[in-house]
C-alpha cells in the first residue's frame, strides 16, 4: 500500500483540526484509494515534531515532547512529506512564515494545501508557476472562503463560461457583527465582543472589520480563477468599523441589510476587484444571509446566474475545505490496480 506522508505548519486551532480529521479518516483513505496516510510532522512558532513512522493523537497533543527550534526552514527542509497543509498566521503584507513554507515545499515537489491567506494574496502567480514547474498541486479552498465553494465553483463547475461578475460574503466575522447590530440595534463594539465571544474574530479584529480578510480572499480568487493579478493593498476597500447606531436605525427603518461584499467585475479583457459595504433590499439574495453564513453570487454568459449560501465560519468547515482539497490530490495520485 502506498504511503502518503502529511506535514502541517502552524499547529493552532485549524492545524489541530486538520490532523484530527486526517487521523479519523485513515480507514477511508485506505479503503477508497489504497493509500496509507500518516501525519509525519507538525510545527508551531517555536517547536515541532517529526516521526516518519507517523504520529498519533496522543503524541500530537503532548507539546512537552516537541523539539525546540524544529520550525521554519529546519522543519520544512527535513520533514519527509508528500503533502503540506499550511495553516500558520496570515500576513498579507509580507506573506509571513507561510510564504517560505509554501515556496520551500513546492521546490521540494511537495503538494501544498494552503489555508493561510497571506502568501497566496501576495504571491499567488509566482507560487502557482513553481507548482506547475514542479508538477505538484497548489490548492487553496481553505484560504478562499473555506466551506463556501468559490474557487472550485469557478474553475470546475463553470469552466469555459465567461463570468461577468462575482459578489461574495466571505468573512463570517463581519457578517456576524452586522447581523448582531441589525438584530439587536447594538453598537459596533458590542457586536464585535459577541463575535470574539464566538471565537471567530481574528486575533487582530481590524483584519476582518477593515475589510482586509475579504480583500485577501477576493484577490486570491481573482488571481487563481481569472489570472488577473490584483494587489490587496491597491484594491478599493470599505470596512465596517465606522458603522454607527444611527446607520443601523436608518437601515432598519428602510428595511435594508448591510453586507460586506467582495466584488469581482469583468472590465474588457480583465477584471476589477473591490470590497464594498452594500445595502441589500428584500429582493437581494444576500438580504437573508445571516450571522456566520457566507454566500457567493456569480453571473455567467451561458449558464445563467448562481447564488450559493452556506459554508458558515467555523473551524470544522475550514478544516473540511482543506480535506476536500486533499481528497482531490489523492484522486489525482490514485491509480487503480488493473
Ligand atoms: N479559523 C478559521 O476559521 C480560519 C478560516 C480560514 C483560514 N484561516 C487561516 O488559517 C490559519 C490558522 O488559523 P487558526 O485559527 O488555526 O490560528 P491559530 O489558532 O492562531 O493558530 C496559528 C498557529 O500558527 C503557529 N505559528 C505562528 N508562527 C508560526 C511560524 N513561524 N511557523 C509555524 N507555526 C507558526 C502558532 O503556533 P504557536 O502556538 O507555537 O505560537 C499557532 O498555533 C490563519 O492563517 C488563518 O487566517 C483560519
Amino acid at each position: 500500500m502506498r504511503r502518503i506522508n502529511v506535514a502541517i505548519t502552524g499547529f493552532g486551532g485549524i492545524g489541530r483540526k486538520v490532523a484530527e480529521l486526517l487521523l479519523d479518516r485513515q480507514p477511508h483513505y485506505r479503503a477508497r484509494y489504497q493509500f496509507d496516510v500518516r501525519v509525519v510532522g507538525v510545527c508551531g512558532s517555536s517547536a515541532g515534531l517529526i516521526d516518519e513512522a507517523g504520529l498519533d493523537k496522543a503524541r500530537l497533543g503532548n507539546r512537552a515532547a516537541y523539539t525546540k527550534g524544529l520550525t521554519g526552514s529546519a522543519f520544512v527542509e527535513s520533514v519527509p512529506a508528500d503533502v503540506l497543509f499550511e495553516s500558520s498566521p496570515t500576513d498579507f503584507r509580507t506573506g509571513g512564515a507561510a510564504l517560505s513554507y509554501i515556496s520551500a515545499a513546492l521546490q521540494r515537489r511537495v503538494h501544498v494545501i494552503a489555508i493561510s491567506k497571506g502568501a497566496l494574496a501576495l504571491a499567488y502567480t509566482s507560487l502557482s508557476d513553481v507548482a506547475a514547474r514542479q508538477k505538484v498541486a497548489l490548492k487553496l479552498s481553505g484560504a478562499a472562503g473555506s466551506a463556501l465553494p468559490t474557487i472550485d465553483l469557478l474553475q470546475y463547475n463553470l469552466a469555459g463560461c465567461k463570468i461577468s461578475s462575482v459578489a461574495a460574503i466571505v468573512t463570517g466575522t463581519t457578517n456576524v457583527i452586522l447581523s448582531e447590530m441589525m438584530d439587536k440595534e447594538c453598537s459596533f463594539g458590542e457586536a464585535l465582543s459577541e463575535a470574539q465571544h464566538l471565537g471567530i474574530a481574528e486575533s487582530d479584529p481590524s483584519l476582518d472589520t477593515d475589510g482586509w480578510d475579504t480583500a485577501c480572499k477576493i484577490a486570491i480568487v481573482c488571481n487563481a480563477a481569472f489570472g488577473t493579478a490584483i494587489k490587496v493593498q491597491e484594491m478599493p476597500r470599505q470596512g465596517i468599523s465606522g458603522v454607527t447606531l444611527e446607520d443601523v436605525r436608518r437601515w432598519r427603518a428602510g428595511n435594508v441589510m448591510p453586507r460586506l461584499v467582495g466584488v469581482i467585475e469583468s472590465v474588457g479583457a480583465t477584471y476589477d476587484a473591490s470590497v464594498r459595504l452594500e445595502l441589500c433590499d428584500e429582493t437581494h439574495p444576500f438580504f437573508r444571509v445571516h450571522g456566520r453564513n457566507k454566500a457567493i453570487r456569480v453571473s455567467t454568459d451561458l449558464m445563467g446566474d448562481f447564488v450559493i449560501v452556506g459554508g458558515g465560519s467555523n473551524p470544522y468547515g475550514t478544516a473540511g475545505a482543506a480535506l476536500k482539497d486533499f481528497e482531490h490530490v489523492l484522486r489525482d495520485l490514485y491509480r487503480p490496480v488493473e
Side-chain angles (χ1 to χ4, degrees), residues 8-17 42-48 63 66 70-73 75 86-91 96-98 100-101 114-118 141-147 170 199-203 207-208 213 217 294 312-319:
I8 303 172
T9 47
F11 205 52
I14 301 298
R16 287 197 300 273
K17 290 273 179 302
V42 301
C43 81
S45 61
S46 59
R63 292 274 176 152
Y66 282 33
L70 188 57
T71 177
S73 56
F75 176 83
E86 207 305 304
S87 57
S88 66
T90 285
D91 178 344
S100 42
Y101 288 135
I115 304 171
S116 66
K117 290 152 273 195
S141 297
S146 296
V170 279
I200 61 166
E202 292 274 346
S203 47
L207 289 177
D208 290 325
D213 181 78
K217 290 168 178 168
K294 299 176 184 170
S313 290
N314 75 68
Y316 278 106
T318 302

Side-chain angles (χ1 to χ4, degrees), residues 130-336:
V130 178
R133 226 173 21 248
Q134 298 294 79
K135 298 188 170 55
V136 287
L138 172 59
K139 300 282 191 185
L140 48 83
S141 297
S146 296
L148 178 76
T150 57
I151 198 72
D152 289 351
L153 173 71
L154 297 169
Q155 286 185 325
Y156 185 80
N157 300 84
L158 302 178
C161 287
K162 170 75 182 165
I163 291 170
S164 53
S165 70
V166 177
I169 299 171
V170 279
T171 303
T173 309
T174 48
N175 215 46
V176 165
I177 291 172
L178 291 170
S179 300
E180 279 284 306
M181 291 179 81
M182 292 296 286
D183 288 353
K184 298 182 182 162
E185 210 174 295
C186 64
S187 71
F188 172 78
E190 288 166 323
L192 173 60
S193 300
E194 177 59 21
Q196 286 171 322
H197 176 69
L198 291 172
I200 61 166
E202 292 274 346
S203 47
D204 172 2
S206 68
L207 289 177
D208 290 325
T209 59
D210 289 349
W212 291 114
D213 181 78
T214 300
C216 283
K217 290 168 178 168
I218 288 298
I220 293 168
V221 169
C222 207
N223 277 284
F226 302 121
T228 303
I230 294 281
K231 290 199 168 62
V232 172
Q233 272 105 330
E234 292 171 8
M235 192 187 295
R237 174 183 47 81
Q238 285 182 295
I240 64 164
S241 46
V243 173
T244 63
L245 259 179
E246 288 66 44
D247 293 327
V248 167
R249 289 186 184 124
R250 202 174 54 253
W251 295 335
R252 281 168 61 107
N255 197 29
V256 290
M257 282 291 175
R259 302 288 180 224
L260 192 70
V261 180
V263 177
I264 302 172
E265 286 163 315
S266 150
V267 182
T270 182
Y271 287 86
D272 272 353
S274 57
V275 179
R276 302 175 193 162
L277 183 62
E278 294 198 350
L279 299 179
C280 305
D281 67 20
E282 243 188 316
T283 63
H284 194 290
F286 291 174
F287 183 85
R288 287 182 181 77
V289 180
H290 191 266
R292 291 172 182 236
N293 262 339
K294 299 176 184 170
I296 184 168
R297 179 186 200 177
V298 185
S299 298
T300 76
D301 56 350
L302 298 179
M303 290 170 67
D305 292 359
F306 294 84
V307 179
I308 298 177
V309 178
S313 290
N314 75 68
Y316 278 106
T318 302
L323 262 73
K324 177 231 356 199
D325 282 348
F326 182 60
E327 196 87 19
H328 285 296
V329 170
L330 295 184
R331 279 183 196 178
D332 288 345
L333 294 173
Y334 174 58
R335 297 277 175 275

Side-chain angles (χ1 to χ4, degrees), residues 11 16-27 39 42 49 54-63 66 316:
F11 205 52
R16 287 197 300 273
K17 290 273 179 302
V18 166
E20 178 191 323
L21 291 169
L22 277 171
L23 294 174
D24 288 347
R25 290 186 182 181
Q26 279 173 322
V39 178
V42 301
L49 193 59
L55 296 157
D56 59 17
K57 288 183 187 176
R59 288 183 71 199
L60 288 168
N62 181 12
R63 292 274 176 152
Y66 282 33
Y316 278 106

